[in-house]
Amino acid sequence: MRTTTRWRLAIPLILLSGLFLAGSVVGASLYWSRWSAGERFITVFLAVMFAANVGISVSIGTDRKITDTPWLRLGTVALFFLLACGVTLVRRNL
């Protein structure tokens, strides 16, 4: 796989993950004092998941050993987004 192809896969994932990470951090900074301990824990968990997504996405672009489409890494990013949706629903119901 060529370098440009890897980065074409990685850049949208980096931007999307970074956007959600920024949203989690900004939301936490604005509402931290109003939230319960459970909501705080879930928010920190979401931020960690989105930070992991950014790291995995960057690794797609920087890993020169990738020869085929990195389906496992792409699937991991997608799985973390799905888990984040579920965790957000749990936080909303607290």
Side-chain angles (χ1 to χ4, degrees):
M1 179 176 274
R2 295 178 8 172
T3 303
T4 56
T5 307
R6 285 194 322 265
W7 281 107
R8 283 184 184 167
L9 283 172
I11 288 175
L13 295 173
I14 292 169
L15 294 175
L16 190 61
S17 300
L19 179 68
F20 282 96
L21 176 61
S24 296
V25 170
V26 168
S29 66
L30 292 175
Y31 297 109
W32 192 264
S33 62
R34 299 181 200 171
W35 283 342
S36 66
E39 289 171 320
R40 290 177 182 174
F41 175 76
I42 289 174
T43 302
V44 170
F45 182 73
L46 284 170
V48 168
M49 277 200 320
F50 292 133
N53 265 357
V54 169
I56 293 168
S57 301
V58 168
S59 76
I60 291 171
T62 58
D63 191 359
R64 294 180 184 255
K65 295 183 281 185
I66 295 176
T67 57
D68 293 329
T69 305
W71 291 112
L72 185 60
R73 293 180 192 184
L74 292 172
T76 304
V77 170
L79 177 67
F80 279 179
F81 276 122
L82 288 174
L83 284 173
C85 291
V87 169
T88 302
L89 287 174
V90 170
R91 182 180 67 184
R92 177 181 263 178
N93 292 326
L94 286 179

